[in-house]
Amino acid sequence: MAETDEPEGSGVRLAIASIGICGTDVGFAANGVQGYTYGHEFAETAADGRSYAVEPTVYCGECGQCRQGHVQRCDDQAHGTLGIFRDGGMCDAITVPENMLVPLPPGLDVRDACLVEPASVAGHGVRAAALEKGERVAIVGGGSVGLLAAATARQRGFDVDVEARHEHQRNAAERLEAGSVTGTYDVVIDAAGSEAGLARCAELARPGGRVVLLGVYQHTAPIPGIVSLVKELTYVHSIAYSRHDGVRDTEEAAALLAGDPEIARTVITHRFPLDDAAEAFRVAGDRAAGAIKVVLHP
């Protein structure tokens, strides 16, 4: 496999160790999107032997949003994400700016550290939910982000129930000590990204409850009107990851994974060599294959 071109400015050259295939990658590949190297979920090892996950957000650090820690909302025209319409980590080696590096804590294997990025997405969403002590939490969707959101909320002291479409997802949720949905909830997290999933979120939310949108909707989010009005639901949007009190969401995600290796063992279901990327993408897009997170290794 080729190495990516070195970006403008200084950076650190790293050997890729693990790359996660995201649903966004699968969708782009299915629609023939080309012209750059895929891969925004990746981890690597530097020449000195130190290992890192990558926070792939490109941001200026100077605008008002960046100064407040909201780098995912950067106002600069160059704002974006490695692996999404610009070269990413689905290769043998890459040079990235030093501010993208997330040092791996003890206990987190670099082969599992590609999960830091989706775990950061999940963690940012759980934070956006503004959970209060004693609130009931449900997650609709048993993919990697839904399961990582469940693990995050559990780690923060909340009981979590997960509604998943497929048996292997339900089994994974059970391994992460999430229950089955019953009754209504103070907070419901949409990790399905589908019209049916969002309708189910509204159904599960209590009157006055909150629905957090982690699912990606390319055009219009199909928010159910009547039930949302009658219940006076609040919809909270969440994208990517940020900083709070000087701490990066990616750092918290790395600590979560290091503190409980069962999370990676549960969420990563398939591994392929990078040269078998075509088969890996096929499996990642085949729900009947039992895949949750498919990981590539050079």
Side-chain angles (χ1 to χ4, degrees):
M1 298 296 291
E3 299 184 1
T4 62
D5 292 334
E6 190 165 323
E8 295 181 3
S10 61
V12 179
R13 194 68 172 171
L14 302 139
I16 301 296
S18 60
I19 316 109
I21 298 178
C22 176
T24 300
D25 298 323
V26 174
F28 283 164
N31 287 295
V33 178
Q34 299 180 11
Y36 63 94
T37 302
Y38 286 17
H40 57 276
E41 304 176 359
F42 60 104
E44 67 254 306
T45 301
D48 62 4
R50 296 187 65 186
S51 294
Y52 303 90
V54 171
E55 180 184 308
T57 304
V58 178
Y59 60 94
C60 72
E62 301 295 334
C63 69
Q65 292 295 327
C66 285
R67 288 198 300 271
Q68 295 176 46
H70 306 305
V71 296
Q72 79 280 20
R73 306 180 199 160
C74 176
D75 291 334
D76 193 85
Q77 288 186 344
H79 171 57
T81 303
L82 300 185
I84 299 180
F85 304 116
R86 64 183 73 199
D87 286 337
M90 206 164 285
C91 56
D92 293 312
I94 186 173
T95 299
V96 301
E98 191 170 357
N99 66 359
M100 290 186 176
L101 301 181
V102 182
L104 300 189
L108 178 53
D109 191 321
V110 69
R111 287 173 53 85
D112 298 335
C114 58
L115 285 184
V116 167
E117 197 277 345
S120 304
V121 172
H124 185 67
V126 171
R127 182 170 298 280
L131 296 172
E132 298 182 4
K133 185 177 180 179
E135 287 192 317
R136 301 193 76 213
V137 183
I139 297 169
V140 174
S144 58
V145 169
L147 293 172
L148 291 166
T152 301
R154 288 276 303 153
Q155 189 261 350
R156 296 180 185 177
F158 293 89
D159 291 332
V160 184
D161 296 333
V162 173
E163 181 164 284
R165 178 174 295 180
H166 303 283
E167 183 178 2
H168 69 280
Q169 296 172 333
R170 293 191 290 271
N171 291 338
E174 184 176 345
R175 286 178 60 182
L176 296 178
E177 299 183 353
S180 301
V181 296
T182 57
T184 59
Y185 294 82
D186 303 286
V187 173
V188 185
I189 296 176
D190 163 35
S194 67
E195 182 171 356
L198 196 49
R200 182 60 172 154
C201 289
E203 180 182 351
L204 289 173
R206 65 161 173 81
R210 308 187 297 284
V211 177
V212 179
L213 275 70
L214 282 182
V216 176
Y217 297 91
Q218 296 293 337
H219 301 290
T220 301
I223 294 174
I226 297 300
V227 66
S228 299
L229 287 170
V230 170
K231 290 186 177 182
E232 291 190 331
L233 299 180
T234 297
Y235 286 84
V236 180
H237 293 270
S238 178
I239 183 70
Y241 16 83
S242 63
R243 289 102 170 87
H244 55 89
D245 301 322
V247 178
R248 294 191 284 178
D249 288 331
T250 45
E251 293 169 342
E252 289 192 333
L256 170 76
L257 296 167
D260 186 359
E262 182 65 19
I263 298 172
R265 286 194 290 265
T266 299
V267 174
I268 298 175
T269 54
H270 295 74
R271 298 181 189 268
F272 289 88
L274 186 56
D275 288 344
D276 287 345
E279 175 64 10
F281 268 76
R282 186 196 69 77
V283 171
D286 180 7
R287 293 175 180 173
I292 296 175
K293 176 59 67 180
V294 177
V295 173
L296 293 165
H297 302 283

